[in-house]
Amino acid sequence: MNQNPKANDNKNLLILHLTVFVWGFTGILGALISINAVQMVWYRVLIASISLFVYFMLTKTSIKVTKSQFLKFFFTGSIVAIHWIFFFHAIKVANVSVSLICLSSVTLFIAILEPLMKKQRISKGDIFVGLLIILGIYLIFKFESKYTLGIIFGLSSAVAASLFSTINSTLVQKNNPSIIGFYELSGAFFWITLYRLFDKSLLVETFNLSLEDWFYLFVLGTICTALAYVAGVSVMRTLSAFRVALITNLEPVYGIVLAFILFGSKEQMTGGFYLGSLLILAAVFIYPIYKKRKNQS
């Protein structure tokens, strides 16, 4: 018996909201885990890679790719690693709210990078949305100068995220998204391992983490990375790209609300921060609506 399409849509819509909520919770885990950003991401991609490999084995999914595909995915993994390391470092030197709002500027950087990489013209609408985001970032810098280092790392994380997102938007046209994710996460693990061998931090790694850290890392690697990735991809079979983009924009909202509930005064910011955040979030929500209308015209 075929499922009711509307019921199937509602089910996938709920899955997507839960997935975005889980992504928003990632920043909370970054603040709770006691180890530094490089160590955290190293454990995260290791656990996520193993989890996805087990998932593929259980579902009997072939992970064979060509040499060319493997190299593209593996090297893109280095950008994924940089993105996450900068994101979690921003949390460590600032807080969850600053990191998530800075990450929202991915929309701005994609609007600039994608046309450049695909040799297309940047539209006037993209420029307007970009200017709104720049104004929001300026206000945050102006009123939250004590978090300057965190803002710089947060924005650098957004640049890295926009770069691998733009690359993936091309790769996903001819490749299975889950397979891309597996090899990129494995690549991220490889590149971080190389870095940790170079700075000798891996040679003195004791693996003697607290029980709490192990629990949070397990949740981060499995639920917030491997499971959320597979779930996020699966809903795209029935939901439009527009609906997915719009709901995904709720990630910083969920994250900031959760951070405020859990960490209280540490996450309390000035009025300038919230004004800047409002401008960035408004631009981020306006962008997919503008894109949809532009494509329909």
Side-chain angles (χ1 to χ4, degrees):
M1 187 183 233
N2 290 329
Q3 261 190 307
N4 183 330
K6 189 174 179 182
N8 204 27
D9 268 10
N10 289 337
K11 177 188 169 186
N12 282 329
L13 206 55
L14 177 62
I15 291 170
L16 181 57
H17 271 287
L18 288 172
T19 302
V20 173
F21 180 81
V22 165
W23 286 337
F25 194 70
T26 301
I28 305 297
L29 291 173
L32 291 172
I33 296 168
S34 64
I35 54 180
N36 67 46
V38 175
Q39 284 178 292
M40 197 189 309
V41 179
W42 186 77
Y43 280 109
R44 177 184 190 176
V45 293
L46 172 61
I47 294 167
S49 298
I50 293 170
S51 301
L52 277 176
F53 183 76
V54 170
Y55 167 78
F56 290 140
M57 293 302 101
L58 291 174
T59 56
K60 296 180 180 178
T61 303
S62 171
I63 58 173
K64 287 183 180 178
V65 292
T66 65
K67 184 181 177 182
S68 172
Q69 288 172 322
F70 173 79
L71 290 173
K72 285 176 185 174
F73 303 157
F74 215 64
F75 279 102
T76 304
S78 65
I79 307 171
V80 175
I82 291 167
H83 156 61
W84 277 336
I85 289 169
F86 283 177
F87 173 69
F88 286 121
H89 189 65
I91 291 172
K92 296 294 184 184
V93 298
N95 61 24
V96 177
S97 299
V98 167
S99 303
L100 284 170
I101 282 299
C102 288
L103 193 59
S104 300
S105 64
V106 165
T107 303
L108 165 64
F109 297 118
I110 287 178
I112 296 167
L113 278 174
E114 194 169 30
L116 288 175
M117 291 180 72
K118 295 182 178 179
K119 296 179 180 177
Q120 299 169 344
R121 291 179 67 181
I122 299 174
S123 71
K124 291 177 182 178
D126 286 355
I127 293 170
F128 174 73
V129 170
L131 288 172
L132 270 182
I133 292 173
I134 289 168
L135 180 59
I137 292 168
Y138 167 76
L139 285 171
I140 291 171
F141 259 113
K142 184 177 174 64
F143 289 96
E144 298 294 345
S145 56
K146 64 179 177 179
Y147 293 129
T148 297
L149 189 60
I151 294 168
I152 290 169
F153 274 102
L155 292 174
S156 299
S157 168
V159 172
S162 66
L163 184 55
F164 79 72
S165 295
T166 304
I167 293 169
N168 280 348
S169 71
T170 303
L171 294 177
V172 80
Q173 301 303 319
K174 297 180 181 178
N175 303 280
N176 182 322
S178 299
I179 302 297
I180 293 172
F182 170 69
Y183 283 110
E184 286 182 353
L185 290 170
S186 301
F189 174 71
F190 172 80
W191 295 113
I192 299 170
T193 301
L194 268 189
Y195 172 79
R196 296 198 68 199
L197 285 170
F198 179 77
D199 78 351
K200 298 180 181 177
S201 64
L202 191 57
L203 302 177
V204 294
E205 182 71 54
T206 61
F207 300 96
N208 189 26
L209 304 178
S210 70
L211 201 59
E212 276 189 350
D213 278 340
W214 276 118
F215 173 73
Y216 293 142
L217 282 167
F218 182 76
V219 172
L220 180 64
T222 54
I223 298 172
C224 295
T225 308
L227 181 63
Y229 187 89
V230 172
V233 170
S234 69
V235 298
M236 292 179 187
R237 291 171 185 162
T238 62
L239 298 179
S240 69
F242 170 73
R243 288 181 91 180
V244 171
L246 203 58
I247 293 165
T248 301
N249 290 337
L250 287 169
E251 180 186 349
V253 179
Y254 287 147
I256 289 169
V257 170
L258 279 169
F260 191 78
I261 292 169
L262 291 172
F263 303 124
S265 59
K266 190 184 175 185
E267 294 292 326
Q268 200 162 358
M269 315 293 281
T270 63
F273 171 84
Y274 293 115
L275 180 59
S277 300
L278 193 62
L279 277 173
I280 292 171
L281 291 174
V284 164
F285 276 95
I286 287 168
Y287 189 73
I289 297 169
Y290 150 72
K291 278 291 185 185
K292 186 182 182 184
R293 288 183 179 176
K294 184 187 173 188
N295 292 336
Q296 287 176 342
S297 60

